[in-house]
Amino acid sequence: MSTGKRLAKRSILGTRIVAPGHDGRFYPAVIQAVKTYEDRLSENSYTVRFDNSRKVSEFLETDLIGPGFSCVNSLSCLLAGQRVYLTHLGREMEATIMSHDRENDQVVVNLASGLQLKVRLEDIQLLESRKSSRLMSQSSTDFSKLADFNIVHERK
């Protein structure tokens, strides 16, 4: 029997999810603890720490959205001002919701570039996709300069 504090391989602790804030919008958070009940009649509750405020709150399983929990499609309505992520022109982009028409399954979003788009709810994510550490370290690399240098270097 192990006495260390190492997490189990499939532990839900540390999972990135989004949870409702006091204003009704969803904010990124990390699961810190789980309260399970033996009777199986009560719903599990999760202690989460919000990324932006570092505040710790407790939520039921049905309130959370993310891997292993509910999805964006299960929401009744997204509020204006909600930060979302969507794929546009082959790249993931950050956007802000302007309006959500649940009956027509249309969400009007403003991209950070100023472009306004109408998209379906299923095309939206509330969490930014994970990037590999290789891509994170290349975020400031100007590939056009690297390509030019390599061409000049090969000609010498």
Side-chain angles (χ1 to χ4, degrees):
M1 184 165 158
S2 174
T3 59
K5 295 199 177 208
R6 188 169 162 237
L7 297 176
K9 190 171 188 175
R10 300 257 184 227
S11 174
I12 196 141
L13 299 180
T15 301
R16 295 194 45 75
I17 47 93
V18 290
H22 64 280
D23 60 357
R25 294 187 185 102
F26 288 85
Y27 296 96
V30 176
I31 295 177
Q32 299 292 304
V34 181
K35 287 185 184 175
T36 57
Y37 299 95
E38 296 291 328
D39 61 9
R40 292 280 184 186
L41 299 174
S42 303
E43 194 174 353
N44 293 345
S45 62
Y46 297 84
T47 303
V48 302
R49 181 180 40 83
F50 287 98
D51 292 353
N52 57 351
S53 66
R54 312 301 268 173
K55 180 182 169 194
V56 176
S57 299
E58 195 168 296
F59 295 96
L60 294 175
E61 190 169 355
T62 54
D63 297 332
L64 303 178
I65 295 176
F69 296 97
S70 301
C71 64
V72 178
N73 295 342
S74 66
L75 295 175
S76 60
C77 188
L78 288 171
L79 298 178
Q82 172 71 54
R83 180 183 296 168
V84 295
Y85 300 90
L86 58 106
T87 302
H88 179 64
L89 300 176
R91 291 188 169 252
E92 183 176 75
M93 299 193 167
E94 184 178 327
T96 305
I97 289 187
M98 300 310 291
S99 65
H100 178 195
D101 181 3
R102 185 77 174 160
E103 291 176 14
N104 296 325
D105 188 31
Q106 274 197 340
V107 180
V108 178
V109 297
N110 272 349
L111 295 177
S113 64
L115 183 65
Q116 192 173 74
L117 298 173
K118 288 183 181 178
V119 295
R120 295 180 311 199
L121 184 61
E122 64 192 39
D123 297 331
I124 287 180
Q125 300 172 6
L126 293 176
L127 271 176
E128 188 173 15
S129 296
R130 282 187 8 182
K131 295 178 182 152
S132 70
S133 57
R134 179 181 61 83
L135 293 175
M136 295 288 278
S137 65
Q138 294 178 355
S139 62
S140 62
T141 304
D142 186 354
F143 292 103
S144 62
K145 288 181 181 178
L146 287 175
D148 291 342
F149 175 77
N150 288 337
I151 292 170
V152 171
H153 187 67
E154 286 177 12
R155 290 182 182 165
K156 286 184 180 180

